[in-house]
Amino acid sequence: MHPGLRGLLVTTFIPLDRKMARMSALMFQKAHGAPLLTSEQQAVAAFDDHTAAVRAHVPADRLLVYRVGPDGWGPLCAFLGVPEPRGADGAVMPFPRVNERDAFIAMRRRIETLALALAVGSGAAAVAAVAVAARFAWRALRG
């Protein structure tokens, strides 16, 4: 499997909630002009097809084939003709890792917590109770 693809499939394109699944499918189709990817095989094939199409249409001297994370700042900054970002101490800043599975899951939890706080704050105790129950049920189903 391509790096990061499993996390993307699990946290973004195969959501557990039915309404969220319908919304995700519609958003994906609008953005990409293709149906929602629901399996690893579909996602890998779509990724490979897209990569081949880009390589076929973009001149080699204007194309950077870049692996987010493993390649770090070097190839990206060289391609853009800019220096690698440095901190106040002059050391190269670490490459951000916000697009990984654990980061998606943490972001989802923060959003759920914020939604719960807003529901409680607005006096919607029943909504908050349902949200808490849904979160516990989701965790129980997840194992």
Side-chain angles (χ1 to χ4, degrees), residues 11-134:
T11 59
T12 306
F13 298 130
I14 308 177
L16 298 174
D17 181 78
R18 288 185 191 147
K19 289 181 181 178
M20 182 63 96
R22 283 195 301 268
M23 182 181 74
S24 294
L26 290 171
M27 288 173 56
F28 187 90
Q29 185 147 8
K30 280 233 183 242
H32 301 284
L36 183 69
L37 306 174
T38 57
S39 74
E40 179 179 333
Q41 293 80 13
Q42 286 178 319
V44 170
F47 178 86
D48 290 341
D49 290 348
H50 176 74
T51 301
V54 169
R55 286 183 175 175
H57 290 94
V58 177
D61 64 326
R62 300 199 34 104
L63 177 65
L64 171 65
V65 177
Y66 182 78
R67 297 170 306 155
V68 176
D71 286 352
W73 291 115
L76 178 61
C77 292
F79 182 79
L80 296 173
V82 299
E84 293 184 28
R86 298 188 177 274
D89 62 356
V92 174
M93 295 178 69
F95 195 83
R97 298 191 166 282
V98 296
N99 205 23
E100 294 178 339
R101 183 177 187 273
D102 290 342
F104 276 130
I105 291 171
M107 179 179 61
R108 181 177 176 171
R109 287 186 180 139
R110 285 192 301 273
I111 291 169
E112 289 171 348
T113 302
L114 178 60
L116 181 60
L118 289 172
V120 170
S122 67
V127 172
V130 170
V132 169

